[in-house]
Amino acid sequence: MKGSSGKPRAGAVRKKGKGQKVGTGGHSRKALEGKGPTPKAEDRPYHQAHKRKAAAERAAAKSGGRSGQRSGAPRG
């Protein structure tokens, strides 16, 4: 549908596709760099194993380093 000016309406204009942007800032080069080996699960603070290990260390510190098991000998 043409208006009085002879141009198509704005909604019907085809827009150009997304091309490569000039000057990426080296994103692709950075992506190719090695990031090192994956740390153990216990070393990753967001992992469940790390949380378990930290809780066990807190429990050990709270009990004074003793294990929670009783020996068969009576006290006193």
Side-chain angles (χ1 to χ4, degrees):
M1 174 163 107
K2 292 185 180 181
S4 61
S5 65
K7 294 181 182 176
R9 60 191 173 85
V13 175
R14 295 227 173 169
K15 298 186 174 159
K16 292 185 179 180
K18 292 183 181 178
Q20 183 178 6
K21 302 290 185 228
V22 178
T24 60
H27 290 294
S28 58
R29 192 184 317 173
K30 195 182 295 181
L32 293 174
E33 286 180 13
K35 294 178 180 174
T38 305
K40 299 279 184 191
E42 290 132 10
D43 298 335
R44 291 181 251 164
Y46 51 85
H47 198 279
Q48 189 65 36
H50 178 80
K51 294 172 186 172
R52 233 181 281 132
K53 183 180 177 185
E57 287 174 359
R58 278 196 302 272
K62 187 176 181 182
S63 66
R66 292 182 287 155
S67 63
Q69 298 174 353
R70 295 182 187 169
S71 62
R75 287 197 247 164

